[in-house]
Amino acid sequence: MMLKVQNLEVLYQRSILGVADISIDVPKGHIVAIIGANGAGKSTTLRAISGFIGLDDARVSNGSILFDGRRIENRFPHQIAHLGIALVPERDKVFPNLTVQENLEIVASRTGHAERRHLEASIYDSFPRLAALKAKLAGLLSGGERQMLAIGSAIMCSPTLLLIDELSLGLAPVIVDDIAERLMRIRDELRLTILLVEQSTAIALRMADYAYVFENGRVVLSGSTDELRNDSSIQDAYLGTSGGEQRNYRHVRNRAQGPAK
Amino acid sequence: MQIVLNILVLGSIYSLISCGYVIIYKVSRVLNLAHGELMMVGAYLLLTTASAGWLGSPLAAIGLALVLSLTVGILVYVLLMRRMTGESVLAAVLTTIALGILIRGAVVLLWSAQHHYPATKLHIANPSIELFQNAKLSLISLILIGVTVATYAALFAFMRFGRWGLRMRATGQNALLAAQRGVNLHAVYALAWGISTFTGAVAGMLIALDSGLDSTIVMIGLKAFPAALVGGLDSLAGAIIGSIIISASEVILIQHFNPLLSDAVPFLILIAMLVIRPWGLFGTREELDRV
């Protein structure tokens, strides 16, 4: 198992529960998705894996995170990046006052100069749009271009495990399809393992091999994406293909009671 | 003409000091109110190395004092400010105030309150040079202007093209993302404190060589703060403009009105600026709410 999260509990400000008891496995070479509503603890889980800084005032208070057999919980983000885990964050994913090229340049990678050049070439190859925008400030990019740059700069870290917090959020479907396709290509080329957090269940089930469903900081369901696609409760709650008023309302209420994000 | 030269010299002094405020603020949003005191430490370190006979040449004494100043800056971060990460910015700023008061006391204890002349100890002559008709400048002042220009050129190049300079800018914009991209935040902050104290110490040493040294040198560091703020605390270019504005108003007041005003006017300008345009001439507006 490449990544093994066991009974993870995260506390914010020493008292607010972010996630309560999360266990997930990410096997090498696979794409694993985490789905669930707002505030279900998806982002918190990814943040716990990629490391907190002092400003977050958060820590893993229980459970463990194993990466290639090594415990990595509560380490600094740069140490985790050097071990080979890179995150594409949900918000503030690029440095707005740096150019596209500089956004890749600042990455403190764990590899040598030759490998850096190779990665940079792969990124510009997979996302030719970025190559055309090299000298443009990242703050002036469109949402889709920003997402490409965020993926690119995460890949610049030379990761073996890529964490993606919301691939599709705020983007037009046609752009999401394009980015997803390019991501899959670069993932095959670099043999990346991916842990993907998605609000769009349809996209998550399409891209991933295996998925976990989070609710209120806990895993409520998991299975291969083929199984989940046919699961009636998933269809009710997240795909909107069946189910009546009553059930939907209860879900809305559950979400409102969920822990803070 | 003389008045222009005076403005230029004083502006250079303020610029060389105020870039230190800017560097630390830009990278960590912390206002280092001990910067004037750290500048003073740099000047007194030169006094110590100048007194050490075994160093031989004045250049060796200056070089050693510069290396020590850089070390002091890094140590301030590693031993003190590092513990403030994750605390509120206000707590960090209060810590720098406490550090400043501590340094002021320690300097008098270690080096006495007496007026010292490191230039005579180093046997550095400081002749007056007549640049234009009736317009004179001391040699050290001339060197100071050159050093300021060189320092700013180096800083601009470093922040624009240097990999660590880019990382410093990135950390200032989004420390979390920088850390996630493999950047060691502690290394970046320590570097910022090192560079800031180093440039401040250069200014302190040149002032001490030019006009002697006692603990009132802190006042000059304090007056460089309005210069940094008028220009905009996160802008290096702004620091130069702010320094020239402050020094021009100060020199003109001394020349044509009352010299006693010179210590008050920089702060009057500071207050005016805080009322009209608190983010400074070249500063970023949105940054302000984080102070």
Side-chain angles (χ1 to χ4, degrees), chain A residues 113-149:
Chain A
H113 188 74
E115 172 72 3
R116 272 184 88 97
R117 291 294 142 243
H118 170 73
L119 278 175
E120 198 182 294
S122 293
I123 292 160
Y124 284 136
D125 227 31
S126 309
F127 300 106
R129 185 88 196 106
L130 290 182
L133 297 166
K134 267 185 191 183
K136 197 167 178 179
L137 284 182
L140 303 174
L141 300 184
S142 72
E145 290 162 351
R146 259 175 220 238
Q147 187 67 293
M148 292 182 208
L149 179 57

Side-chain angles (χ1 to χ4, degrees), chain A residues 36-38 213-216 220 233-234 236-238 244-258:
Chain A
N38 260 338
V213 181
F214 280 25
E215 225 168 80
N216 295 337
V220 290
S233 63
I234 284 280
D236 286 356
Y238 298 107
E245 290 282 304
Q246 187 85 47
R247 197 183 164 92
N248 283 342
Y249 174 63
R250 207 166 59 227
H251 257 279
V252 171
R253 250 193 4 185
N254 278 344
R255 287 175 200 183
Q257 287 162 354

